[in-house]
Amino acid sequence: MTTSTDVVESTEAPVAAALRSITLRWVATALVLFPVLVLLGLVMRVAQSDLVPDLDATRFYSVMTLHGVGMVGLWYTAGMASVCFLLSRYVRVSVLANKVGFASTLIGVALLLVSTLIGKFGAGWYFLYPLPIRPLGAWESWATVTFFAAIAVLGVGWTIWSLDVLRAIASRYSLTEALGWGYLRGNVQQEVPPMVLITTVSIIGALVGLVTAVVLLVLYAVEALGGDAANDALLMKNLVFLFGHLLVNITLYLGVAVVYEVLPHYAKRPWKTNGKVALAWNVVLVLVMFAYLHHLYMDFAQLRELQLLGQVTSYLSSVPAAIMSIFGTLALVYRSHLKWSLAPALLFSGVLGWVIGGIGAVIDSTIAVNLLFHNTLWVPAHFHTYFLMGVVLMLLGGVYHICDKASTCERKAGREKLVFWLTAIGGYGFLLMFYIGGAASIPRRYATYTGNISDGQGLALASVFFIVLFLAGLVIYAIETGRRCLGAAKAS
């Protein structure tokens, strides 16, 4: 059996330099777009706090749409870019496919900006049927076409990119090997690093989600172009949440893959694949396909068997990978004398955010609780916890590591501590307002909380303060990471 120490660099020097270059472009793009998208979130909370009265509701929902789609798309691509760079240690990834993903993302984002900020498309990231094609005068039909064009361009580019990553993995490991089936059979031909295993699971799940999006767009197009019959609303809702749920969860798993790969560098301990790790991630691959059903508990027309399946899979999907990763992370850092610089601190904190958000999600995925919490601020509370304070921190830690290792810039320990505490206090303070609002049954997706929902205004106002703290930490992070990016670019 070969081991990971036998693995040689699979990319030659020119290819490695090109891959580093495109990765730095991804980093620069993320450092520009992320603060902008955070500012959009700030705009929504300012509107809900009534600091700026009479903000146009149509504008609010177009901002909400851009914020939601933009955040998920940004961090999915940031996760893919980080994974590709780190994966090049084991397999020969394609720089061209990475560039296709980058170009399609830029084009898709441009179309998304036009459809929302100019066209005022405001159907939300979920663009539930039939609202996009029957907007009731809220926006023009061209805005819907532009939005769907954005989703199509993004989907095509990401599919090509994802397929190439899968090709790269399969060129060194068979897919059964990459999925860790050798560990399950007790017949390991060559060691499979955890990052390869988790990335393989993630890419397969992502491709299922992207194919689902294609089916959804085709059904919309057929009806919009004059089909004889309307689409089934429940089918369309199942498709959109299968697509959305998969993409969000896969983004999280890409962040976890980065943790598995990078954190051992600081703990000075290996994190190897074994039978338990392989079993956990294979179980997750199956369960994640059905856990989306908890989004449809309120649809009384849905088969009861599917509702029960959603309950069971939502509970079970939170156990295997999470438990293995949580205990693995704790075991890795325990008595390791790890020096808590910014990168490992963000990686570890990201795992913590995943745990806290996951608990909130499991609570909400309980049918009896969901009846009370479904349309309240509890939903954005748990979602933002495992996304903002989970996967985003994981990927920010991974990005900082990538730039730091390639740069000769001196580390500023004081600034790193300031980044950590500003993002932690700002992030969790912002989230706490959501959780309190959810427990108080304050509804979500409201453009304003005037009238009888004054508590919503107060919580939104408090959120503004914490978002500003988070943004301050993010700005300092961007400056420090930017310095390292420039240093890495000069070094290459």
Side-chain angles (χ1 to χ4, degrees):
M1 181 185 76
T2 61
T3 67
S4 59
T5 55
D6 301 321
V7 178
V8 296
E9 295 292 339
S10 60
T11 50
E12 299 173 356
V15 177
L19 183 61
R20 185 182 302 111
S21 176
I22 188 65
T23 303
L24 291 177
R25 290 182 206 172
W26 276 115
V27 171
T29 303
L31 291 179
V32 171
L33 289 180
F34 185 41
V36 172
L37 293 171
V38 173
L39 280 171
L40 293 178
L42 177 63
V43 167
M44 288 188 287
R45 293 304 267 167
V46 165
Q48 291 173 333
S49 70
D50 207 32
L51 276 176
V52 181
D54 302 323
L55 183 70
D56 179 45
T58 302
R59 177 62 66 195
F60 177 91
Y61 290 111
S62 67
V63 168
M64 185 185 75
T65 302
L66 178 58
H67 175 78
V69 177
M71 279 295 190
V72 173
L74 170 65
W75 292 108
Y76 174 75
T77 52
M80 284 286 291
S82 301
V83 163
C84 281
F85 183 83
L86 297 171
L87 200 62
S88 65
R89 177 184 175 189
Y90 307 107
V91 301
R92 186 181 294 276
V93 297
S94 168
V95 176
L96 178 59
N98 205 313
K99 289 181 177 178
V100 168
F102 185 72
S104 65
T105 299
L106 292 183
I107 296 170
V109 167
L111 292 170
L112 186 61
L113 289 170
V114 171
S115 68
T116 53
L117 296 185
I118 299 176
K120 296 186 179 180
F121 181 86
W125 74 260
Y126 31 79
F127 49 95
L128 287 180
Y129 176 87
L131 185 57
I133 55 178
R134 300 176 196 170
L136 301 176
W139 58 84
E140 300 293 335
S141 59
W142 70 263
T144 296
V145 173
T146 306
F147 177 82
F148 282 153
I151 299 299
V153 170
L154 293 171
V156 170
W158 296 351
T159 300
I160 294 171
W161 193 11
S162 299
L163 285 171
D164 185 78
V165 172
L166 208 58
R167 172 210 58 78
I169 293 173
S171 67
R172 177 175 176 83
Y173 312 89
S174 68
L175 286 182
T176 55
E177 275 187 317
L179 286 169
W181 289 8
Y183 294 92
L184 301 180
R185 295 191 300 259
N187 181 28
V188 181
Q189 299 299 317
Q190 61 176 329
E191 183 178 290
V192 178
M195 184 177 194
V196 173
L197 166 63
I198 300 171
T199 301
T200 304
V201 168
S202 301
I203 295 300
I204 292 173
L207 288 171
V208 172
L210 292 169
V211 169
T212 302
V214 170
V215 174
L216 183 66
L217 292 180
V218 168
L219 291 175
Y220 263 119
V222 168
E223 180 174 342
L225 294 174
D228 293 334
N231 285 300
D232 181 272
L234 188 57
L235 170 63
M236 299 293 277
K237 189 172 182 180
N238 272 270
L239 290 173
V240 75
F241 277 105
L242 174 58
F243 157 65
H245 185 88
L246 277 175
L247 201 64
V248 169
N249 277 268
I250 295 310
T251 302
L252 176 59
Y253 298 158
L254 292 174
V256 174
V258 171
V259 173
Y260 270 75
E261 181 68 15
V262 175
L263 196 56
H265 171 83
Y266 295 94
K268 307 298 183 184
R269 291 175 176 173
W271 198 340
K272 295 185 176 182
T273 303
N274 54 41
K276 295 183 180 66
V277 172
L279 177 61
W281 283 100
N282 276 268
V283 170
V284 165
L285 178 58
V286 175
L287 294 178
V288 74
M289 302 295 175
F290 302 98
Y292 84 93
L293 289 164
H294 65 239
H295 291 284
L296 287 90
Y297 288 155
M298 294 296 173
D299 294 276
F300 58 86
Q302 185 91 309
L303 291 174
R304 178 172 294 184
E305 290 78 8
L306 291 180
Q307 306 288 37
L308 294 175
L309 181 62
Q311 172 78 91
V312 173
T313 54
S314 296
Y315 268 60
L316 293 180
S317 64
S318 64
V319 176
I323 295 299
M324 292 300 301
S325 301
I326 293 164
F327 281 101
T329 301
L330 293 174
L332 190 73
V333 302
Y334 181 66
R335 291 187 175 179
S336 67
H337 305 294
L338 187 152
K339 294 182 179 179
W340 290 100
S341 57
L342 185 58
L346 290 175
L347 292 167
F348 190 85
S349 299
V351 175
L352 176 63
W354 178 22
V355 174
I356 297 172
I359 293 172
V362 169
I363 291 172
D364 187 44
S365 68
T366 305
I367 292 176
V369 177
N370 190 263
L371 291 172
L372 300 174
F373 281 177
H374 179 75
N375 280 318
T376 73
L377 290 177
W378 187 273
V379 176
H382 75 69
F383 172 82
H384 281 82
T385 305
Y386 65 68
F387 206 83
L388 178 64
M389 301 306 288
V391 62
V392 170
L393 293 190
M394 294 176 193
L395 292 177
L396 288 178
V399 164
Y400 200 80
H401 166 80
I402 291 170
C403 294
D404 196 41
K405 294 299 293 180
S407 174
T408 58
C409 292
E410 181 183 357
R411 180 180 290 114
K412 306 289 186 180
R415 293 182 188 177
E416 290 188 351
K417 290 180 180 178
L418 190 58
V419 169
F420 177 81
W421 287 112
L422 284 174
T423 54
I425 295 172
Y428 279 109
F430 158 71
L431 293 169
L432 182 61
M433 300 306 106
F434 272 152
Y435 279 112
I436 294 173
S441 296
I442 295 174
R444 58 183 171 133
R445 299 181 190 151
Y446 272 39
T448 179
Y449 286 130
T450 56
N452 296 322
I453 319 177
S454 58
D455 288 347
Q457 287 185 2
L459 293 172
L461 182 60
S463 294
V464 170
F465 168 74
F466 289 112
I467 294 172
V468 170
L469 285 183
F470 184 88
L471 268 172
L474 183 59
V475 168
I476 301 172
Y477 171 91
I479 292 171
E480 289 301 295
T481 307
R483 287 198 314 120
R484 281 158 175 72
C485 282
L486 290 175
K490 292 177 181 178
S492 61

